[in-house]
């Protein structure tokens, strides 16, 4: 059966509250991140991701105090990202209670940060998040919460991140984000088949079948989602029962 596939709720946090948008814009409130984190931990989520979605754009640090409050309420692995620009930011978040730290814009600007993090804290701490969009000329990576296109290509950058010491890749398809039409399974499968580290699928979950397809067609190791969990559309225990019935190895 291999390693169990992971179900990961994602809390995108702006100004102290959880928000969710479509294609990275049109944000609406989804509740208190501390209470949501606690509820997901109790509901059987395998991990939790907390992203301060405007930290890089506004040049702020992640709201460390809130990270500490979430960490106190959960007993599952906890990944935190947003505004991680240097090794001191990684250390600060780990000290606040994070198990892993996600880096996106800073890693693209300074790939050596991946090596420094892996060397200091271990590869398992370093999650490289990639926001990419399928443009007319192929998959491009984007900076600053999807606001700024780079010339870096998705697959070459993911491979470089692995070579520099990343422990996981968190791939969000901007085309699929929030529209609930399924994950970018073709791109996911290319990543999973060409890299040796775990791939977390993000962007596009709208029904239980989409999670199944991310694992069976996209070969993802984990599936991350937000609104379908935040607004009660798919209860996590129900999702895991469904995936188990479909022959997918999940922790229940």
């Amino acid at each position: 059966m291999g390693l169990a596939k992971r179900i990961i709720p994602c809390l995108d946090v702006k100004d102290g509250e959880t928000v969710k948008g479509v294609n990275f814009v049109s944000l609406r409130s989804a509740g208190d991140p501390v209470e949501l984190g606690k509820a997901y931990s109790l509901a059987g989520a395998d991990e939790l991701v907390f992203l301060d979605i405007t930290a890089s754009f506004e040049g702020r640090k992640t709201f460390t105090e809130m990270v500490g409050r979430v960490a106190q309420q959960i007993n599952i692995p906890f990944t935190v990202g947003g505004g991680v620009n240097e090794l001191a930011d990684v250390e600060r978040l780990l000290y606040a209670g994070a198990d892993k730290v996600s880096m996106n814009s800073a890693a693209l600007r300074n790939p050596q940060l991946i090596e420094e993090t892996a060397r200091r804290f271990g590869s398992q701490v370093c999650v490289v998040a990639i926001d990419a969009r399928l443009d007319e000329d192929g998959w491009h990576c984007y900076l600053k919460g999807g606001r700024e296109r780079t010339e870096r290509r998705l697959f070459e950058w993911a491979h470089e991140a692995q070579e520099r010491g990343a422990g996981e890749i968190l791939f969000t398809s901007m085309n699929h984000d929030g529209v609930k039409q399924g994950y970018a399974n073709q791109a996911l499968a290319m990543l999973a088949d060409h890299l040796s580290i775990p791939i977390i699928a993000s962007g596009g979950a709208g029904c239980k079948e989409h999670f199944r397809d991310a694992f069976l067609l996209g070969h993802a190791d984990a599936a991350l989602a937000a609104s379908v969990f935040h607004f009660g559309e798919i209860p996590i225990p129900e999702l895991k029962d469904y995936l188990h019935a479909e022959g997918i190895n999940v922790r229940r």
Side-chain angles (χ1 to χ4, degrees), residues 12-72:
D12 292 333
V13 176
K14 180 184 181 188
D15 301 328
E17 67 177 359
T18 309
V19 295
K20 187 56 197 149
V22 177
N23 300 128
F24 280 47
V25 294
S26 305
L27 301 177
R28 61 174 172 150
S29 175
D32 176 63
V34 179
E35 291 303 313
L36 278 172
K38 182 178 180 180
Y40 289 137
S41 182
L42 293 171
D46 297 299
E47 298 188 17
L48 189 67
V49 170
F50 172 101
L51 299 175
D52 189 333
I53 59 170
T54 54
S56 294
F57 177 59
E58 296 172 2
R60 296 186 283 103
K61 303 299 186 187
T62 304
F63 194 15
T64 312
E65 182 262 341
M66 185 180 290
V67 171
R69 285 165 53 215
V70 174
Q72 288 174 357

Short mmCIF file of all heavy atoms in Angstrom, two decimals, residues 12-72:
data_model
loop_
_atom_site.label_atom_id
_atom_site.label_comp_id
_atom_site.label_asym_id
_atom_site.label_seq_id
_atom_site.Cartn_x
_atom_site.Cartn_y
_atom_site.Cartn_z
N ASP A 12 -5.35 29.93 5.25
CA ASP A 12 -4.77 31.17 4.72
C ASP A 12 -5.22 32.29 5.64
O ASP A 12 -6.43 32.53 5.79
CB ASP A 12 -5.29 31.43 3.30
CG ASP A 12 -4.77 30.42 2.30
OD1 ASP A 12 -3.69 29.87 2.52
OD2 ASP A 12 -5.46 30.18 1.29
N VAL A 13 -4.26 32.96 6.26
CA VAL A 13 -4.60 33.96 7.28
C VAL A 13 -4.20 35.35 6.82
O VAL A 13 -3.09 35.58 6.33
CB VAL A 13 -3.91 33.62 8.62
CG1 VAL A 13 -4.18 34.70 9.66
CG2 VAL A 13 -4.41 32.27 9.13
N LYS A 14 -5.15 36.28 6.97
CA LYS A 14 -4.91 37.69 6.67
C LYS A 14 -5.53 38.52 7.78
O LYS A 14 -6.71 38.34 8.11
CB LYS A 14 -5.53 38.07 5.32
CG LYS A 14 -5.31 39.53 4.95
CD LYS A 14 -6.02 39.90 3.66
CE LYS A 14 -5.74 41.37 3.33
NZ LYS A 14 -6.55 41.84 2.18
N ASP A 15 -4.75 39.40 8.36
CA ASP A 15 -5.23 40.29 9.42
C ASP A 15 -5.90 39.51 10.56
O ASP A 15 -6.93 39.92 11.10
CB ASP A 15 -6.22 41.31 8.85
CG ASP A 15 -5.59 42.17 7.75
OD1 ASP A 15 -4.37 42.43 7.85
OD2 ASP A 15 -6.29 42.56 6.82
N GLY A 16 -5.33 38.36 10.90
CA GLY A 16 -5.80 37.63 12.07
C GLY A 16 -6.98 36.72 11.85
O GLY A 16 -7.46 36.09 12.80
N GLU A 17 -7.50 36.62 10.62
CA GLU A 17 -8.61 35.71 10.38
C GLU A 17 -8.32 34.83 9.17
O GLU A 17 -7.54 35.19 8.28
CB GLU A 17 -9.93 36.46 10.19
CG GLU A 17 -10.01 37.30 8.94
CD GLU A 17 -11.37 37.96 8.77
OE1 GLU A 17 -12.25 37.76 9.61
OE2 GLU A 17 -11.54 38.68 7.77
N THR A 18 -8.96 33.67 9.15
CA THR A 18 -8.81 32.75 8.03
C THR A 18 -9.65 33.26 6.87
O THR A 18 -10.81 33.64 7.03
CB THR A 18 -9.29 31.34 8.42
OG1 THR A 18 -8.65 30.96 9.64
CG2 THR A 18 -8.94 30.33 7.34
N VAL A 19 -9.05 33.28 5.68
CA VAL A 19 -9.76 33.74 4.49
C VAL A 19 -9.62 32.72 3.37
O VAL A 19 -8.74 31.86 3.39
CB VAL A 19 -9.23 35.12 3.99
CG1 VAL A 19 -9.49 36.20 5.03
CG2 VAL A 19 -7.74 35.04 3.67
N LYS A 20 -10.51 32.81 2.39
CA LYS A 20 -10.41 31.95 1.21
C LYS A 20 -10.85 32.73 0.00
O LYS A 20 -11.83 33.46 0.06
CB LYS A 20 -11.27 30.69 1.39
CG LYS A 20 -11.09 29.67 0.28
CD LYS A 20 -9.64 29.25 0.11
CE LYS A 20 -9.42 28.56 -1.24
NZ LYS A 20 -8.08 28.80 -1.77
N GLY A 21 -10.12 32.56 -1.10
CA GLY A 21 -10.46 33.27 -2.32
C GLY A 21 -10.59 32.35 -3.51
O GLY A 21 -10.62 31.12 -3.39
N VAL A 22 -10.70 32.94 -4.70
CA VAL A 22 -10.75 32.22 -5.97
C VAL A 22 -9.64 32.76 -6.84
O VAL A 22 -9.55 33.98 -7.05
CB VAL A 22 -12.12 32.39 -6.65
CG1 VAL A 22 -12.13 31.70 -8.01
CG2 VAL A 22 -13.24 31.83 -5.77
N ASN A 23 -8.80 31.87 -7.36
CA ASN A 23 -7.65 32.27 -8.17
C ASN A 23 -6.80 33.33 -7.47
O ASN A 23 -6.30 34.26 -8.09
CB ASN A 23 -8.10 32.80 -9.54
CG ASN A 23 -8.88 31.76 -10.33
OD1 ASN A 23 -9.98 32.05 -10.79
ND2 ASN A 23 -8.34 30.56 -10.47
N PHE A 24 -6.68 33.19 -6.13
CA PHE A 24 -5.81 34.04 -5.31
C PHE A 24 -6.40 35.43 -5.05
O PHE A 24 -5.73 36.29 -4.51
CB PHE A 24 -4.41 34.18 -5.93
CG PHE A 24 -3.52 33.01 -5.66
CD1 PHE A 24 -3.95 31.70 -5.83
CD2 PHE A 24 -2.21 33.21 -5.25
CE1 PHE A 24 -3.12 30.62 -5.58
CE2 PHE A 24 -1.36 32.14 -4.99
CZ PHE A 24 -1.82 30.84 -5.16
N VAL A 25 -7.65 35.70 -5.44
CA VAL A 25 -8.28 37.00 -5.15
C VAL A 25 -9.69 36.76 -4.63
O VAL A 25 -10.11 35.63 -4.40
CB VAL A 25 -8.31 37.90 -6.41
CG1 VAL A 25 -6.90 38.29 -6.83
CG2 VAL A 25 -9.02 37.21 -7.57
N SER A 26 -10.46 37.84 -4.44
CA SER A 26 -11.84 37.77 -3.95
C SER A 26 -11.92 37.02 -2.62
O SER A 26 -12.66 36.04 -2.49
CB SER A 26 -12.76 37.11 -4.98
OG SER A 26 -12.69 37.77 -6.22
N LEU A 27 -11.18 37.49 -1.64
CA LEU A 27 -11.09 36.80 -0.36
C LEU A 27 -12.36 37.00 0.48
O LEU A 27 -12.93 38.08 0.51
CB LEU A 27 -9.89 37.31 0.44
CG LEU A 27 -8.52 37.15 -0.24
CD1 LEU A 27 -7.44 37.77 0.63
CD2 LEU A 27 -8.21 35.69 -0.51
N ARG A 28 -12.78 35.94 1.17
CA ARG A 28 -13.88 36.06 2.14
C ARG A 28 -13.47 35.36 3.43
O ARG A 28 -12.65 34.44 3.43
CB ARG A 28 -15.18 35.46 1.59
CG ARG A 28 -15.12 33.98 1.26
CD ARG A 28 -16.51 33.48 0.87
NE ARG A 28 -16.46 32.10 0.38
CZ ARG A 28 -17.46 31.23 0.50
NH1 ARG A 28 -18.57 31.59 1.11
NH2 ARG A 28 -17.35 30.01 0.01
N SER A 29 -14.08 35.78 4.52
CA SER A 29 -13.71 35.27 5.83
C SER A 29 -14.16 33.83 6.02
O SER A 29 -15.24 33.44 5.57
CB SER A 29 -14.32 36.14 6.93
OG SER A 29 -14.04 35.59 8.21
N ALA A 30 -13.32 33.03 6.71
CA ALA A 30 -13.67 31.63 6.98
C ALA A 30 -13.52 31.30 8.46
O ALA A 30 -13.63 30.14 8.84
CB ALA A 30 -12.80 30.70 6.14
N GLY A 31 -13.27 32.30 9.32
CA GLY A 31 -13.27 32.02 10.75
C GLY A 31 -11.93 32.21 11.46
O GLY A 31 -10.93 32.60 10.86
N ASP A 32 -11.95 31.91 12.73
CA ASP A 32 -10.78 32.08 13.59
C ASP A 32 -9.78 30.95 13.38
O ASP A 32 -10.13 29.77 13.51
CB ASP A 32 -11.22 32.10 15.06
CG ASP A 32 -10.04 32.18 16.00
OD1 ASP A 32 -9.33 33.19 15.95
OD2 ASP A 32 -9.83 31.23 16.77
N PRO A 33 -8.52 31.25 13.05
CA PRO A 33 -7.55 30.19 12.74
C PRO A 33 -7.24 29.28 13.91
O PRO A 33 -6.98 28.09 13.71
CB PRO A 33 -6.31 30.96 12.28
CG PRO A 33 -6.50 32.35 12.75
CD PRO A 33 -7.96 32.60 12.81
N VAL A 34 -7.26 29.80 15.13
CA VAL A 34 -6.97 28.97 16.29
C VAL A 34 -8.08 27.93 16.48
O VAL A 34 -7.81 26.73 16.67
CB VAL A 34 -6.79 29.83 17.56
CG1 VAL A 34 -6.49 28.94 18.76
CG2 VAL A 34 -5.66 30.84 17.37
N GLU A 35 -9.32 28.37 16.41
CA GLU A 35 -10.45 27.45 16.58
C GLU A 35 -10.53 26.44 15.44
O GLU A 35 -10.82 25.26 15.65
CB GLU A 35 -11.76 28.23 16.69
CG GLU A 35 -11.89 29.03 17.97
CD GLU A 35 -11.76 28.15 19.21
OE1 GLU A 35 -12.39 27.08 19.25
OE2 GLU A 35 -11.00 28.53 20.12
N LEU A 36 -10.27 26.90 14.22
CA LEU A 36 -10.29 25.99 13.08
C LEU A 36 -9.19 24.94 13.20
O LEU A 36 -9.41 23.75 12.95
CB LEU A 36 -10.12 26.77 11.77
CG LEU A 36 -11.36 27.41 11.18
CD1 LEU A 36 -10.98 28.31 10.01
CD2 LEU A 36 -12.36 26.36 10.72
N GLY A 37 -8.00 25.37 13.59
CA GLY A 37 -6.89 24.43 13.76
C GLY A 37 -7.23 23.35 14.77
O GLY A 37 -6.97 22.16 14.54
N LYS A 38 -7.78 23.76 15.87
CA LYS A 38 -8.17 22.81 16.92
C LYS A 38 -9.22 21.83 16.39
O LYS A 38 -9.13 20.61 16.62
CB LYS A 38 -8.71 23.58 18.12
CG LYS A 38 -9.12 22.70 19.30
CD LYS A 38 -9.61 23.58 20.45
CE LYS A 38 -10.04 22.72 21.65
NZ LYS A 38 -10.51 23.58 22.78
N ALA A 39 -10.21 22.34 15.67
CA ALA A 39 -11.28 21.49 15.14
C ALA A 39 -10.73 20.47 14.14
O ALA A 39 -11.13 19.30 14.15
CB ALA A 39 -12.35 22.35 14.48
N TYR A 40 -9.80 20.90 13.30
CA TYR A 40 -9.23 19.98 12.32
C TYR A 40 -8.39 18.90 12.98
O TYR A 40 -8.39 17.74 12.55
CB TYR A 40 -8.39 20.74 11.29
CG TYR A 40 -9.22 21.57 10.34
CD1 TYR A 40 -8.84 22.85 9.99
CD2 TYR A 40 -10.41 21.06 9.81
CE1 TYR A 40 -9.61 23.61 9.13
CE2 TYR A 40 -11.18 21.81 8.94
CZ TYR A 40 -10.78 23.09 8.61
OH TYR A 40 -11.54 23.83 7.76
N SER A 41 -7.66 19.27 14.01
CA SER A 41 -6.85 18.30 14.74
C SER A 41 -7.76 17.22 15.33
O SER A 41 -7.47 16.02 15.24
CB SER A 41 -6.04 19.01 15.83
OG SER A 41 -5.23 18.11 16.53
N LEU A 42 -8.88 17.64 15.90
CA LEU A 42 -9.83 16.70 16.50
C LEU A 42 -10.56 15.87 15.43
O LEU A 42 -10.97 14.74 15.71
CB LEU A 42 -10.85 17.46 17.35
CG LEU A 42 -10.30 18.13 18.61
CD1 LEU A 42 -11.36 19.03 19.24
CD2 LEU A 42 -9.81 17.09 19.62
N ALA A 43 -10.71 16.42 14.24
CA ALA A 43 -11.47 15.74 13.18
C ALA A 43 -10.67 14.68 12.44
O ALA A 43 -11.21 13.97 11.60
CB ALA A 43 -12.02 16.76 12.20
N GLY A 44 -9.36 14.61 12.71
CA GLY A 44 -8.56 13.57 12.06
C GLY A 44 -7.71 14.04 10.90
O GLY A 44 -7.22 13.22 10.12
N ALA A 45 -7.53 15.36 10.77
CA ALA A 45 -6.58 15.85 9.75
C ALA A 45 -5.19 15.29 10.06
O ALA A 45 -4.82 15.12 11.21
CB ALA A 45 -6.54 17.37 9.76
N ASP A 46 -4.44 15.00 9.00
CA ASP A 46 -3.09 14.44 9.20
C ASP A 46 -2.07 15.51 9.52
O ASP A 46 -1.11 15.26 10.25
CB ASP A 46 -2.67 13.66 7.96
CG ASP A 46 -3.58 12.49 7.71
OD1 ASP A 46 -3.65 11.60 8.57
OD2 ASP A 46 -4.25 12.47 6.66
N GLU A 47 -2.25 16.67 8.95
CA GLU A 47 -1.35 17.79 9.19
C GLU A 47 -2.16 19.07 9.03
O GLU A 47 -3.31 19.05 8.58
CB GLU A 47 -0.17 17.79 8.20
CG GLU A 47 0.71 16.57 8.29
CD GLU A 47 1.97 16.67 7.44
OE1 GLU A 47 2.33 17.79 7.02
OE2 GLU A 47 2.59 15.63 7.20
N LEU A 48 -1.53 20.18 9.37
CA LEU A 48 -2.16 21.49 9.22
C LEU A 48 -1.14 22.44 8.61
O LEU A 48 0.03 22.42 8.97
CB LEU A 48 -2.59 22.00 10.60
CG LEU A 48 -3.44 23.26 10.66
CD1 LEU A 48 -4.82 23.01 10.06
CD2 LEU A 48 -3.59 23.72 12.12
N VAL A 49 -1.61 23.25 7.65
CA VAL A 49 -0.75 24.28 7.05
C VAL A 49 -1.36 25.65 7.36
O VAL A 49 -2.56 25.86 7.20
CB VAL A 49 -0.60 24.09 5.53
CG1 VAL A 49 0.08 25.30 4.90
CG2 VAL A 49 0.21 22.83 5.23
N PHE A 50 -0.51 26.55 7.80
CA PHE A 50 -0.91 27.91 8.19
C PHE A 50 -0.08 28.87 7.35
O PHE A 50 1.14 28.86 7.43
CB PHE A 50 -0.62 28.07 9.69
CG PHE A 50 -0.77 29.44 10.26
CD1 PHE A 50 -1.91 29.79 10.97
CD2 PHE A 50 0.24 30.38 10.14
CE1 PHE A 50 -2.03 31.06 11.53
CE2 PHE A 50 0.13 31.65 10.70
CZ PHE A 50 -1.02 31.98 11.40
N LEU A 51 -0.74 29.67 6.50
CA LEU A 51 -0.02 30.58 5.63
C LEU A 51 -0.50 32.01 5.86
O LEU A 51 -1.68 32.31 5.71
CB LEU A 51 -0.25 30.21 4.15
CG LEU A 51 0.22 28.82 3.71
CD1 LEU A 51 -0.19 28.57 2.27
CD2 LEU A 51 1.73 28.67 3.87
N ASP A 52 0.43 32.88 6.22
CA ASP A 52 0.13 34.30 6.30
C ASP A 52 0.25 34.83 4.87
O ASP A 52 1.34 35.10 4.39
CB ASP A 52 1.12 35.00 7.24
CG ASP A 52 0.74 36.44 7.53
OD1 ASP A 52 0.07 37.05 6.67
OD2 ASP A 52 1.09 36.95 8.59
N ILE A 53 -0.89 34.96 4.18
CA ILE A 53 -0.85 35.10 2.72
C ILE A 53 -0.40 36.46 2.23
O ILE A 53 -0.08 36.60 1.05
CB ILE A 53 -2.21 34.74 2.09
CG1 ILE A 53 -3.31 35.66 2.63
CG2 ILE A 53 -2.54 33.28 2.31
CD1 ILE A 53 -4.62 35.52 1.87
N THR A 54 -0.37 37.46 3.10
CA THR A 54 0.10 38.76 2.65
C THR A 54 1.44 39.15 3.24
O THR A 54 1.93 40.25 3.01
CB THR A 54 -0.94 39.86 2.99
OG1 THR A 54 -1.23 39.80 4.39
CG2 THR A 54 -2.20 39.69 2.18
N ALA A 55 2.07 38.24 3.96
CA ALA A 55 3.33 38.58 4.63
C ALA A 55 4.42 38.96 3.64
O ALA A 55 5.11 39.97 3.82
CB ALA A 55 3.79 37.42 5.51
N SER A 56 4.57 38.20 2.58
CA SER A 56 5.63 38.51 1.61
C SER A 56 5.32 39.80 0.88
O SER A 56 6.19 40.66 0.68
CB SER A 56 5.77 37.36 0.60
OG SER A 56 6.22 36.20 1.24
N PHE A 57 4.07 39.97 0.49
CA PHE A 57 3.68 41.15 -0.29
C PHE A 57 3.85 42.43 0.52
O PHE A 57 4.32 43.45 0.03
CB PHE A 57 2.23 41.00 -0.75
CG PHE A 57 1.70 42.18 -1.50
CD1 PHE A 57 2.31 42.59 -2.68
CD2 PHE A 57 0.60 42.88 -1.04
CE1 PHE A 57 1.82 43.69 -3.38
CE2 PHE A 57 0.10 43.96 -1.74
CZ PHE A 57 0.72 44.37 -2.92
N GLU A 58 3.47 42.37 1.79
CA GLU A 58 3.52 43.57 2.63
C GLU A 58 4.86 43.73 3.35
O GLU A 58 5.06 44.68 4.10
CB GLU A 58 2.38 43.54 3.65
CG GLU A 58 1.01 43.58 2.99
CD GLU A 58 -0.12 43.36 3.97
OE1 GLU A 58 0.15 43.22 5.17
OE2 GLU A 58 -1.28 43.33 3.53
N GLY A 59 5.76 42.77 3.16
CA GLY A 59 7.06 42.86 3.79
C GLY A 59 7.00 42.68 5.30
O GLY A 59 7.83 43.21 6.03
N ARG A 60 6.01 41.91 5.79
CA ARG A 60 5.88 41.69 7.22
C ARG A 60 6.42 40.31 7.59
O ARG A 60 6.62 39.46 6.76
CB ARG A 60 4.41 41.74 7.64
CG ARG A 60 3.74 43.05 7.45
CD ARG A 60 2.34 42.99 8.05
NE ARG A 60 1.40 42.27 7.21
CZ ARG A 60 0.97 41.03 7.43
NH1 ARG A 60 1.42 40.34 8.45
NH2 ARG A 60 0.10 40.47 6.63
N LYS A 61 6.54 40.10 8.88
CA LYS A 61 6.84 38.77 9.41
C LYS A 61 5.53 38.07 9.72
O LYS A 61 4.51 38.70 10.00
CB LYS A 61 7.68 38.87 10.69
CG LYS A 61 8.99 39.62 10.54
CD LYS A 61 9.91 38.96 9.54
CE LYS A 61 11.27 39.64 9.50
NZ LYS A 61 12.13 39.13 8.43
N THR A 62 5.57 36.75 9.66
CA THR A 62 4.37 35.99 10.02
C THR A 62 3.97 36.29 11.46
O THR A 62 4.82 36.51 12.32
CB THR A 62 4.63 34.48 9.86
OG1 THR A 62 5.07 34.23 8.53
CG2 THR A 62 3.39 33.67 10.13
N PHE A 63 2.70 36.26 11.71
CA PHE A 63 2.18 36.59 13.03
C PHE A 63 2.54 35.48 14.00
O PHE A 63 1.78 34.55 14.26
CB PHE A 63 0.67 36.78 12.93
CG PHE A 63 0.03 37.44 14.12
CD1 PHE A 63 0.80 38.11 15.08
CD2 PHE A 63 -1.34 37.40 14.31
CE1 PHE A 63 0.22 38.72 16.17
CE2 PHE A 63 -1.94 38.01 15.40
CZ PHE A 63 -1.16 38.67 16.33
N THR A 64 3.73 35.60 14.57
CA THR A 64 4.31 34.54 15.39
C THR A 64 3.45 34.17 16.59
O THR A 64 3.32 32.99 16.94
CB THR A 64 5.70 34.96 15.89
OG1 THR A 64 6.44 35.48 14.79
CG2 THR A 64 6.45 33.79 16.49
N GLU A 65 2.85 35.17 17.20
CA GLU A 65 2.04 34.90 18.39
C GLU A 65 0.86 33.97 18.07
O GLU A 65 0.53 33.07 18.83
CB GLU A 65 1.54 36.23 18.97
CG GLU A 65 0.74 36.10 20.24
CD GLU A 65 -0.77 36.13 20.01
OE1 GLU A 65 -1.21 36.61 18.96
OE2 GLU A 65 -1.49 35.64 20.90
N MET A 66 0.26 34.17 16.90
CA MET A 66 -0.85 33.32 16.51
C MET A 66 -0.38 31.89 16.23
O MET A 66 -1.07 30.92 16.55
CB MET A 66 -1.57 33.88 15.29
CG MET A 66 -2.82 33.08 14.91
SD MET A 66 -3.65 33.77 13.48
CE MET A 66 -4.29 35.29 14.18
N VAL A 67 0.81 31.77 15.66
CA VAL A 67 1.39 30.44 15.43
C VAL A 67 1.49 29.69 16.75
O VAL A 67 1.12 28.51 16.86
CB VAL A 67 2.79 30.56 14.77
CG1 VAL A 67 3.49 29.21 14.74
CG2 VAL A 67 2.66 31.14 13.38
N GLY A 68 1.95 30.38 17.78
CA GLY A 68 2.06 29.75 19.10
C GLY A 68 0.73 29.32 19.64
O GLY A 68 0.60 28.23 20.22
N ARG A 69 -0.31 30.14 19.44
CA ARG A 69 -1.64 29.80 19.93
C ARG A 69 -2.21 28.58 19.20
O ARG A 69 -2.85 27.72 19.81
CB ARG A 69 -2.57 31.00 19.79
CG ARG A 69 -2.30 32.09 20.84
CD ARG A 69 -2.97 33.41 20.48
NE ARG A 69 -4.40 33.23 20.20
CZ ARG A 69 -5.07 33.93 19.30
NH1 ARG A 69 -4.45 34.83 18.56
NH2 ARG A 69 -6.36 33.73 19.14
N VAL A 70 -1.99 28.52 17.90
CA VAL A 70 -2.46 27.35 17.13
C VAL A 70 -1.73 26.10 17.60
O VAL A 70 -2.33 25.05 17.83
CB VAL A 70 -2.26 27.57 15.61
CG1 VAL A 70 -2.61 26.30 14.84
CG2 VAL A 70 -3.11 28.73 15.12
N ALA A 71 -0.41 26.21 17.73
CA ALA A 71 0.41 25.05 18.11
C ALA A 71 -0.02 24.45 19.44
O ALA A 71 0.02 23.23 19.63
CB ALA A 71 1.89 25.44 18.16
N GLN A 72 -0.48 25.30 20.34
CA GLN A 72 -0.92 24.81 21.65
C GLN A 72 -2.21 24.00 21.57
O GLN A 72 -2.51 23.22 22.48
CB GLN A 72 -1.11 26.00 22.60
CG GLN A 72 0.20 26.63 23.05
CD GLN A 72 -0.04 27.89 23.87
OE1 GLN A 72 -1.17 28.33 24.05
NE2 GLN A 72 1.04 28.48 24.36
#
